[in-house]
Amino acid sequence: MEFSTLNKLFFNPLVSALALLSIATTSLNPAVASKRCDFPAIFNFGASNADTGGLAASFPFAGPKPPSGDTFFRRPAGRFCDGRLIIDFMAQRFGLPYLSPYLDSMGSNFSHGANFATAGSTIIFQQAGGQYRSSPFSLGIQYQQFERFKPTTKLIRDQGGVFAALMPKEEYFDEALYTFDIGQNDLTVGFFGNTTLQQVNASIPDIISNFTSNIKNIYNLGARSFWIHNTGPIGCLPLILTNFESAERDKYGCAKAYNEVANSFNLKLKEALAYLRKDLPTAAITYVDIYSAKYSLFRDPKKYGFELPLVACCGYGGKYNFSNSVGCGGTIKVKDNDIFVGSCERPSVRVIWDGIHYTEAANKVVFDQISSGAFTDPPIPLNMACHRK
């Protein structure tokens, strides 16, 4: 999610290419095996779709406000959602506690991993300025935080005492699952900057190169099992639909050209990961087609029990219940009356929470799809996506 917005709220050819590339890369991943993985920890990197409270801890004024969190946590829990995120369902799947944000010093427990994701983060560090500024915690900064985190946990363990039990065991760093969900904000910054869609598209190779460089750096610190999401159908978000009203829509109501840019990013990411498997033969690298899983909710919402898929549950104004001037949990003055921007009546039947992020119900459907292996390359379930020694 874009940072200044947080201050307020907070191709057909591609399909063929992806199919061919899938055939070519599936056999390269050593994760393909029949034995179930038992990940003792998860280390997560990313942006708002996977932020469990990092931004809220760093910039409280920009964190989610009520009614965020009401569905599950019964309070704001640092997540831009009414409840749990995909990363929360991942932790549950392995019987692990929800990941504490690395940036939160209050009550954090890192014994089974840490979350370096923060809302507004980009892969490439963005300079200050522009209509939509990003978070300062780019992927490169998150890597540096992890680089510091690992030896610091050893120091704390060696010292003993009450804090030692809150640190991951040394062997967990090699055995953990390393998850990534980042890239959407790099595209969003371009969309809202003084650039054309063609220029945003042209920037993608540099973004992907930076992405894979950071993956290599994390690999060099001992990571071996990688679960890497591509970017979602950004053209289906009320943020885009409201701000680019003239953009051509597809038959499901999504902004076609913006989804094509997302698909271009995804194709280049998949290609890059295929090469990365050759460079890192001892790594298990799983590419996760989050785009297709999420797009299915807009293509066939009734199949999953959803309605009004393009309309935000928590928002105010316009066709998509989204405004740039006030977001979920905010207050807007209408005819001298202060109007609180609250939740829709039934978040459980809605796809989009606040115009940018998904509801807990949607996150659960997407998690169930991707964790089965139906949307991954290689096509294996989450609980088999580990490095084999």
Side-chain angles (χ1 to χ4, degrees), residues 1 15 70 111 120 132 178 307 321 328 337 341:
M1 179 178 178
V15 175
D70 277 1
S111 60
Y132 285 85
Y178 289 78
E307 58 187 40
N321 198 34
C328 182
N337 295 317
V341 179

Side-chain angles (χ1 to χ4, degrees), residues 235-246:
C236 300
L237 300 178
L239 169 71
I240 298 297
L241 297 171
T242 297
N243 283 282
F244 302 98
E245 294 181 287
S246 62

Side-chain angles (χ1 to χ4, degrees), residues 1-10 44-65 68 77-81 85 87 101-104 115-126 132-139 141-142 145 181-186 188-189 239 353-354 356-358:
M1 179 178 178
E2 204 289 322
F3 188 59
S4 66
T5 301
L6 281 170
N7 292 344
K8 300 172 185 177
L9 301 176
F10 111 151
N44 183 69
F45 303 83
S48 57
N49 286 323
D51 182 2
T52 55
L55 188 82
S58 305
F59 303 100
F61 65 87
K65 302 172 178 62
S68 291
R79 295 152 172 83
F80 290 88
C81 180
L85 308 177
I87 190 65
Y102 168 80
L103 293 168
D104 194 351
N115 193 355
F116 298 89
T118 58
S121 290
T122 51
I123 294 171
I124 293 182
F125 181 81
Q126 305 291 320
Y132 285 85
R133 293 169 296 166
S134 62
S135 161
F137 303 110
S138 64
L139 183 58
I141 297 298
Q142 293 179 29
Q145 292 170 340
D181 192 323
I182 195 167
Q184 180 173 305
N185 291 322
D186 294 82
T188 302
V189 169
L239 169 71
W353 171 239
D354 57 7
I356 299 172
H357 309 97
Y358 291 69

Side-chain angles (χ1 to χ4, degrees), residues 21 30 36 43 46 131 154 163 179 201-202 248 278 308 338:
L21 190 59
R36 176 189 169 92
F43 295 102
Q131 183 181 356
K154 183 179 186 307
F163 296 112
T179 55
N201 217 24
E248 179 186 355
K278 296 178 181 179
L308 302 174
D338 288 332

